[in-house]
Amino acid sequence: MNHVLCGLAANAALPSELVDRLIAVADADIAEGLAGRAELSHAQAVALASRVEEIAVRLAYEGLLTTADVDPVAQPHAALALLDERSGDLEWARKPGDLVVVPWSINCGTCARCRGGLTAHCTAVPHMAMYDAPIGGTWGGLFSDTVRVPFADHMLVPLPAGLDPVAMASASDNWSLSWRLVAPHLTDKPGARVLVVARGSIGLYVCDIARALGASDVLYVDPDPEHRRLAESYGARTAEAIEPIPYGFDLAVEATGRVEQLALAVKSLAPEGVCESAGNHFRPGELPLLDMYLTGVTLRIARDNVRAHIPDALDLASSGKVAPERVVSHVLDWEQLPDALPEKHLKPVFVRDISPFLLAR
């Protein structure tokens, strides 16, 4: 921090021409002082906003910037501030009140990887760019009042009319992931036998989708009795735990984060069977590679390219063949979040007052 320049920036008696010179060299600290000047002109505010976006947000909220002054691509936070103040260009956003699904990973939709469906590996943003985790940039997430959506025309997927936004709160990740874990395989092998080794919502969504799409048998394995009861409501057989069932299933879905459970799943596959793992295995472990080789096993474990199949997953949700709302265990007020989140819930959904948005539909 340059204390001399910061002091000058806060000096109310500083001539306008010196204010201009300070703006030309302003960093975040100097800009903070300049932004608080009562006599800051519109032209000076625009120049200052072009140097430090954090200050552009403040200036937008204070009414010193207009739509013509802000580039929504280069200054997305300032554009959001203007929209929040009802003074932004509605072309920057979807119609106020629209309900949309925002995929968990940031993706442009136009790079070679995105065009190939690999939206979790977009080359237009830093590696691993995503919501919730400060990896590959700061985009916002679960606890944010607003989030950055840099490629809104591509990333935002309208929620079909008639779908409950609470029931579809996981459409940005787990619901659409669950569709991908099972639906394409049932298209390739109608009536496939499905093993689901899981610990919560992903496995339950898979049970719902598998039965709806014609799986001949679904076995759900989970030590939690409440989860098992819910899986049974979807028509699945259930078990607290099992030993490997050789050649028992055409498709196995593992969503536990435990390598030994992944090994159990692949040991239960029929020849040329497929195992889909939802991943997040933080501890090392061993897989029965020789058994997998002799049986002929395809194992896929990956972060999901969810944007590519959100529309298909929403279409299934709209069909009336599935009931994702059953997985929502609690609907809680947003203000309860700090106290309720640490408690054990299957799938809590925290809601603000969304009635104005629903009325808009």
Side-chain angles (χ1 to χ4, degrees):
M1 176 187 293
N2 189 317
H3 295 284
V4 173
L5 294 183
C6 287
L8 287 172
N11 185 347
L14 195 69
S16 181
E17 58 271 20
L18 292 184
V19 172
D20 291 335
R21 292 175 66 180
L22 277 178
I23 290 173
V25 299
D27 58 15
D29 295 316
I30 296 170
E32 190 67 37
L34 291 169
R37 300 182 64 85
E39 75 285 2
L40 196 70
S41 70
H42 175 252
Q44 289 171 332
V46 172
L48 186 59
S50 70
R51 289 198 55 85
V52 182
E53 190 187 357
E54 291 84 355
I55 294 302
V57 173
R58 172 179 171 178
L59 296 172
Y61 275 118
E62 291 178 355
L64 295 174
L65 298 178
T66 68
T67 298
D69 304 325
V70 172
D71 179 349
V73 176
Q75 300 166 296
H77 288 96
L80 283 172
L82 288 177
L83 287 169
D84 194 34
E85 289 293 296
R86 303 295 190 269
S87 57
D89 187 342
L90 292 182
E91 292 299 317
W92 296 347
R94 290 191 174 271
K95 180 171 63 66
D98 280 357
L99 298 179
V100 295
V101 177
V102 187
W104 67 267
S105 64
I106 314 300
N107 52 94
C108 70
T110 58
C111 71
R113 289 182 182 174
C114 284
R115 291 197 309 273
L118 304 180
T119 55
H121 306 276
C122 177
T123 57
V125 292
H127 178 57
M128 297 282 285
M130 67 178 76
Y131 294 109
D132 287 328
I135 303 172
T138 303
W139 309 94
L142 174 63
F143 303 107
S144 305
D145 287 316
T146 57
V147 296
R148 292 179 62 189
V149 185
F151 309 101
D153 285 344
H154 164 69
M155 286 183 61
L156 298 182
V157 182
L159 187 72
L163 281 183
D164 179 3
V166 172
M168 298 311 301
S170 286
S172 61
D173 190 354
N174 287 359
W175 170 257
S176 299
L177 162 64
S178 300
W179 181 93
R180 200 272 303 158
L181 292 174
V182 66
H185 301 295
L186 285 168
T187 298
D188 293 340
K189 191 177 182 64
R193 299 163 297 167
V194 180
L195 171 65
V196 185
V197 185
R199 292 294 186 272
S201 63
I202 292 175
L204 293 168
Y205 286 143
V206 167
C207 290
D208 188 12
I209 294 168
R211 270 306 194 189
L213 297 183
S216 61
D217 181 31
V218 180
L219 174 60
Y220 177 80
V221 182
D222 185 332
D224 189 298
E226 290 297 325
H227 298 175
R228 295 200 302 274
R229 277 192 283 273
L230 186 49
E232 289 165 3
S233 78
Y234 289 132
R237 297 187 295 121
T238 66
E240 181 178 357
I242 62 170
E243 293 298 318
I245 305 173
Y247 313 125
F249 300 92
D250 306 295
L251 171 65
V253 175
E254 181 272 326
T256 67
R258 295 166 171 83
V259 179
E260 71 276 7
Q261 295 300 302
L262 178 57
L264 166 70
V266 297
K267 286 181 179 179
S268 299
L269 285 172
E272 300 302 329
V274 175
C275 180
E276 290 276 9
S277 174
N280 290 325
H281 301 94
F282 293 101
R283 296 179 180 177
E286 295 183 356
L287 292 178
L289 297 181
L290 181 59
D291 287 347
M292 294 167 66
Y293 166 74
L294 294 173
T295 302
V297 166
T298 299
L299 169 62
R300 184 177 190 273
I301 178 170
R303 295 181 302 130
D304 194 46
N305 301 293
V306 70
R307 174 58 182 88
H309 42 263
I310 286 176
D312 289 324
L314 291 177
D315 284 346
L316 178 60
S318 299
S319 70
K321 298 177 181 178
V322 290
E325 68 276 2
R326 295 183 198 168
V327 177
V328 176
S329 58
H330 299 77
V331 180
L332 303 169
D333 187 89
W334 180 262
E335 298 302 324
Q336 295 177 267
L337 196 152
D339 295 326
L341 193 61
E343 299 173 0
K344 185 178 180 181
H345 301 293
L346 170 60
K347 178 66 70 173
V349 176
F350 295 89
V351 229
R352 298 178 191 265
D353 180 11
I354 61 171
S355 54
F357 300 102
L358 298 179
L359 289 172
R361 289 166 67 83

